[in-house]
Amino acid sequence: MIALQLTTEGRLKHFLTVEGLSRNLLTEILDTAESFVGGPGQPIKKVPLLRGKTIVNLFFENSTRTRTTFELAAKRLSADVLNMSIATSSTAKGESLLDTIRNLEAMFVDMFVVRHNISGSAHFIAQHTAPHISVINAGDGQHAHPTQAMLDMFTIRQIKPDFAKLRVAIIGDILHSRVARSQIQALNTLGAAEVRVIAPKTLLPTHVESLGVSVCHSLTEGLKDIDVIIMLRLQKERMASALLPSEAEYFKCFGLTESKLKIAKTDAIVMHPGPINRGVEIESSVADGPQSVILRQVSNGIAVRMAILSMAMQPQGGG
Amino acid sequence: MSLDKLEINNLLDTLEASLRQTVAQRGLANPLMVGIRTGGVWVAEELHRRLGIAAPVGLLDISFYRDDFSQIGMYPNVKPSQLPPNIEGRDIILVDDVFYTGRTARAALNEIFDYGRPRQVVLAVLIERLGKQIPISPDCVGRNIALSPEQRVKLSYPPLAIQIESQGRP
C-alpha cells in the first residue's frame, strides 16, 4: 500500500493515504502548498505548471467542497478538468468500474481524483490503472481522506507552526470518520505532542488507542490544555444503528458551545472539515466566532490540493 | 577558474553604465526593478541601490513557469513572487545573475505578462555565457564569458561574490 504510493525514488506517485508516508514528505507537501499561496488574503495565481494535462474528478459520492476545490486547484495549475458524477452516468447503465476507468484512459487522461463510498476504492483504481496515471484519494468510505488531513495540517501550521508543542482534540464521530483517521496519522507523523479523541464509546472504533491517541469520553474534561479543536460532523447518513439517544442529547454532551470552548486554551483554534451541522456538533456562535478557522480551511484546500496534484504529476523514473 | 579575477565590482560598474545608457535611450520612466530568484535578486538589489530607484525591488520566482517540469518536476522551496499588483504600462528592468540558454528569461517574461502588460521590459544580466537556445538576448550585460558545458557560475551573498564551479566535483 505504501509502496504503491511512491516511485522507486521515493516521490509521490499516488496519494491514497497519509499512513506510512514520512514526515519529510508531508512537510514537503505543506511547503509546496505554501509556495502557491500568494500572501494573506490574496487569491492564488494561475500558473502554467500542468498545462496539457487532463485530470478527471471521479466522484461516486456527493461532495461540494472537496470536488470544487480539487477543480479549482487543477484549473489554477492550468490542467484540463473533467467532472464525472458517476451516480448519474455509465455505472447506472451497468458498466463496471474498471470499464469506466479503461474508457477514460483511452481519452488520454493523466490523473484520477477519486471519491467513493467504499473503503479501498482509490487503491483498487491505482492498482489497475495504466502505469502513467496518478490516482488521488478524495475520500474512500470510512478509510481515508488524506488531502483533507493535509489541508488541516497546513491550516494548523499557519497559525501554530510547532507541532511538537500542540495538543489536538478530535471530537465526535470518530467511528465513521475517514477524516479523523487521516488526521490522526498526519498529526502523529508530524510529531504533535498529543492527539486526543473525545467521543461517546459508541462512536469510537474498538482499540482506538492503537492509532496513537489518548481517549476521553467527556468534552468538559477532554478540552483542558487543548490548542487545536477539530470537530467532526455527526454522520447521520451512516448512522444505521441506534448509536445515540438523540441529536439533542448529543449536542448537550459533545456539542461545542461558547462556554465549553473556554475550557480549552484561550488561543485555541476551532476547526471542522465541513459540512457543519449547526446545533448538532457545534454552536453557530462558535462556528462563526473569532476562534473558528473553518472557512480558512476551505481556502487552504486549494493550495494544498495544487501541491499534491503537481507533486504526483511529476515525471516518473528520475530525471 | 577563480572569479576574483572577474572582480564583481567591475562587472557591476559595467552593467550599471550600460543600464544607465539604456534607461536614457529607451526613455524608461519610474522603472520597476525585478530580480529573478535567487541570484538575480541580489544583483537587482545592488543595481537598485546604485541607480537610486524609488519603488522597491520586485521578486520573481519562475519555478512554476519553467519549461522543464515534464523532465525534472517540481523545484523545491519555491517562494511566492512579489510584484506590485498593477504593472500595466510600467517600465520594467528585469535582472538576473547569469544569462545562459535564455529559458529562464522566457519563463520570467511569461510570468510578468500574467501580471499585466508592461510598457517595456529591459533585461539586465551580470554575466552572459555562450549557449543560448531561444531567440532572446539580454539588453545590458556586465560581462560576456565562454564556459564549457560542465562549468557553472555560482553567486553567493552577502557579500556578492562569484565562483565558477566544475560539475562532477563533490
Side-chain angles (χ1 to χ4, degrees):
Chain A
M1 196 179 270
I2 298 156
L4 182 63
Q5 296 200 92
L6 302 177
T7 65
T8 45
E9 301 88 40
R11 278 179 167 178
L12 204 61
K13 161 75 179 170
H14 306 293
F15 192 49
L16 308 173
T17 173
V18 173
E19 191 178 7
L21 296 182
S22 70
R23 187 182 200 155
N24 279 347
L25 189 71
L26 297 193
T27 305
E28 191 189 335
I29 292 173
L30 299 180
D31 291 345
T32 305
E34 201 84 61
S35 58
F36 288 114
V37 179
Q42 269 189 8
I44 294 166
K45 239 169 59 69
K46 185 163 179 149
V47 294
L49 211 54
L50 298 188
R51 196 165 48 198
K53 303 284 187 186
T54 305
I55 297 175
V56 180
N57 282 334
L58 211 50
F59 278 59
F60 297 86
E61 192 185 65
N62 287 335
S63 159
T64 312
R65 245 168 315 278
T66 304
R67 192 190 58 70
T68 45
T69 49
F70 261 115
E71 183 176 349
L72 268 177
K75 287 179 171 171
R76 287 279 189 275
L77 292 166
S78 305
D80 295 315
V81 194
L82 292 174
N83 288 308
M84 306 209 29
S85 297
I86 307 296
T88 59
S89 122
S90 299
T91 46
K93 298 178 188 167
E95 190 179 59
S96 82
L97 174 59
L98 282 181
D99 281 331
T100 304
I101 297 293
R102 295 278 174 267
N103 277 276
L104 289 166
E105 282 173 358
M107 299 173 202
F108 305 105
V109 309
D110 300 284
M111 178 181 275
F112 292 119
V113 175
V114 182
R115 157 73 62 101
H116 203 293
N117 60 348
I118 298 173
S119 302
S121 306
H123 285 93
F124 178 78
I125 293 172
Q127 277 164 342
H128 291 94
T129 194
H132 69 278
I133 293 178
S134 292
V135 178
I136 309 293
N137 185 2
D140 63 327
Q142 296 171 18
H143 170 246
H145 194 349
T147 61
Q148 174 71 44
M150 291 314 294
L151 75 89
D152 293 334
M153 299 308 113
F154 186 78
T155 307
I156 293 171
R157 197 179 76 161
Q158 268 187 340
I159 302 160
K160 298 174 183 291
D162 189 359
F163 282 99
K165 289 181 183 155
L166 295 185
R167 294 183 190 282
V168 182
I170 305 176
I171 299 158
D173 187 359
I174 312 285
L175 179 63
H176 297 94
S177 177
R178 55 191 173 211
V179 174
R181 244 165 286 271
S182 291
Q183 284 168 338
I184 292 166
Q185 288 155 359
L187 285 164
N188 283 330
T189 304
L190 291 168
E194 183 190 351
V195 184
R196 197 180 294 171
V197 295
I198 307 173
K201 282 181 184 144
T202 50
L203 292 183
L204 284 172
T206 48
H207 307 299
V208 64
E209 296 87 350
S210 65
L211 295 173
V213 296
S214 56
V215 182
C216 184
H217 300 300
S218 153
L219 186 56
T220 44
E221 274 175 40
L223 281 176
K224 282 183 195 122
D225 307 321
I226 287 296
D227 302 279
V228 177
I229 303 170
I230 301 175
M231 301 305 296
L232 298 175
R233 182 173 67 92
L234 197 61
Q235 304 204 18
K236 298 183 225 175
E237 75 273 22
R238 295 190 218 275
M239 211 77 74
S241 50
L243 298 171
L244 292 171
S246 72
E247 279 179 14
E249 184 86 354
Y250 180 80
F251 182 69
K252 215 174 118 192
C253 298
F254 291 96
L256 188 64
T257 59
E258 282 190 77
S259 61
K260 284 181 187 150
L261 178 55
K262 290 198 179 93
I263 301 167
K265 285 197 186 159
T266 50
D267 64 344
I269 53 169
V270 177
M271 306 174 73
H272 194 305
I276 59 176
N277 290 323
R278 290 170 187 267
V280 178
E281 69 264 350
I282 189 165
E283 196 172 47
S284 267
S285 59
V286 175
D288 307 326
Q291 284 167 268
S292 166
V293 295
I294 294 172
L295 291 177
R296 189 154 164 181
Q297 288 173 267
V298 179
S299 303
N300 285 341
I302 302 169
V304 169
R305 288 180 171 124
M306 285 172 82
I308 291 162
L309 294 181
S310 46
M311 283 171 69
M313 205 79 95
Q314 292 186 98
Q316 312 296 335
Chain B
M1 176 177 175
S2 162
L3 255 277
D4 299 337
K5 286 176 197 155
L6 281 178
E7 280 183 18
I8 186 101
N9 278 323
N10 286 349
L11 264 63
L12 284 165
D13 289 346
T14 310
L15 182 54
E16 181 192 348
S18 164
L19 198 48
R20 281 184 187 281
Q21 202 181 2
T22 303
V23 165
Q25 272 173 358
R26 288 176 51 174
L28 264 63
N30 184 26
L32 173 69
M33 190 163 269
V34 176
I36 301 174
R37 275 188 217 276
T38 311
V41 174
W42 300 334
V43 179
E45 269 159 7
E46 182 66 30
L47 290 172
H48 183 263
R49 194 179 54 74
R50 287 173 174 232
L51 294 181
I53 292 171
V57 174
L59 313 179
L60 212 53
D61 193 315
I62 53 102
S63 303
F64 294 138
Y65 286 77
R66 300 189 64 96
D67 58 12
D68 55 8
F69 176 77
S70 57
Q71 282 97 50
I72 292 173
M74 296 288 282
Y75 278 69
N77 301 319
V78 183
K79 305 257 182 11
S81 294
Q82 289 168 27
L83 288 188
N86 192 0
I87 60 161
E88 207 67 30
R90 291 291 297 265
D91 291 342
I92 291 178
I93 302 170
L94 179 62
V95 182
D96 205 359
D97 49 0
V98 180
F99 184 96
Y100 184 20
T101 62
R103 288 175 191 270
T104 301
R106 196 280 311 165
L109 287 170
N110 278 26
E111 179 160 10
I112 286 171
F113 279 77
D114 273 1
Y115 279 83
R117 181 179 185 272
R119 193 170 74 107
Q120 47 181 330
V121 181
V122 168
L123 178 59
V125 298
L126 198 58
I127 292 170
E128 180 181 16
R129 63 180 286 193
L130 285 177
K132 85 172 183 165
Q133 296 171 349
I134 50 177
I136 293 178
S137 297
D139 300 296
C140 306
V141 177
R143 170 127 170 220
N144 284 286
I145 51 174
L147 296 170
S148 57
E150 64 273 11
Q151 288 180 300
R152 73 183 273 266
V153 183
K154 193 176 187 300
L155 261 73
S156 57
Y157 182 86
L160 200 56
I162 310 176
Q163 253 195 318
I164 305 262
E165 292 180 343
S166 290
Q167 274 174 6
R169 212 179 63 176

